[in-house]
Amino acid sequence: MVEQDVIGALRDKQAEVIGMIERLERQLVEHRTGLSHLEGVLRLFDPSLRLEEARPGRQRGQRAWFRPGESLRLIYDVLRDAAQPVATRELADRIMAMKNIALTDDRDRALIQKTLLASLNRAKETIERATIEGVVGWRVI
């Protein structure tokens, strides 16, 4: 009886993997079609272009520090309790502490600050930019 359960689970996993492979193969066909269209347009603009010399581009890793909408919610949490405007760097430090984000380098800090700035700029109706002693800060309106 146990063997039947194991066999059933393995067959389910097999079906799952087969489905993943089929989806990936469909995506591959779509990407190859898109690439051929792109190369055709490139040839229209520059027939002398040697397309076979093109090298694959580096795919950047995606960082999942925040779920959709989470960064703005965290910004509101920090700014709501602040007595005065909070600088962008301090805002990033507080949010990283709230999320327990450990940084490996300054580039990650800059990317987090950039993400927060994008959220701040989208919330112009409720969050305002305030400059105090030459430092840009943010506060809830």
Side-chain angles (χ1 to χ4, degrees):
M1 188 63 164
V2 173
E3 288 179 10
Q4 291 301 321
D5 293 338
V6 171
I7 289 173
L10 290 172
R11 285 193 181 270
D12 290 344
K13 187 63 177 179
Q14 178 190 28
E16 180 184 339
V17 171
I18 289 171
M20 288 172 54
I21 290 170
E22 288 177 355
R23 281 189 299 279
L24 290 171
E25 286 174 343
R26 280 194 302 272
Q27 285 181 351
L28 184 59
V29 168
E30 290 173 10
H31 288 299
R32 286 189 194 279
T33 302
L35 179 62
S36 69
H37 291 297
L38 179 62
E39 289 174 345
V41 172
L42 282 168
R43 280 191 195 99
L44 285 174
F45 283 98
D46 188 359
S48 65
L49 199 62
R50 298 178 66 183
L51 299 174
E52 64 277 356
E53 292 178 358
R55 292 181 294 153
R58 249 183 71 200
Q59 189 173 10
R60 294 185 179 137
Q62 185 177 11
R63 292 173 176 78
W65 289 306
F66 305 106
R67 293 185 309 273
E70 182 183 20
S71 63
L72 189 57
R73 183 184 55 79
L74 292 170
I75 289 170
Y76 283 124
D77 289 345
V78 170
L79 294 181
R80 196 176 312 117
D81 298 333
Q84 59 187 12
V86 179
T88 308
R89 185 175 181 97
E90 183 181 346
L91 184 64
D93 289 341
R94 289 185 190 180
I95 289 175
M96 287 186 303
M98 291 168 69
K99 296 257 317 163
N100 294 321
I101 298 174
L103 296 179
T104 56
D105 57 12
D106 287 335
R107 184 173 179 275
D108 285 344
R109 175 187 296 283
L111 290 172
I112 288 176
Q113 281 184 217
K114 189 174 180 180
T115 300
L116 295 175
L117 280 170
S119 295
L120 286 162
N121 288 323
R122 281 193 300 270
K124 290 180 181 177
E125 296 84 30
T126 56
I127 297 175
E128 73 176 349
R129 180 182 177 142
T131 305
I132 300 174
E133 298 175 13
V135 177
V136 175
W138 304 90
R139 66 176 164 221
V140 176
I141 299 175

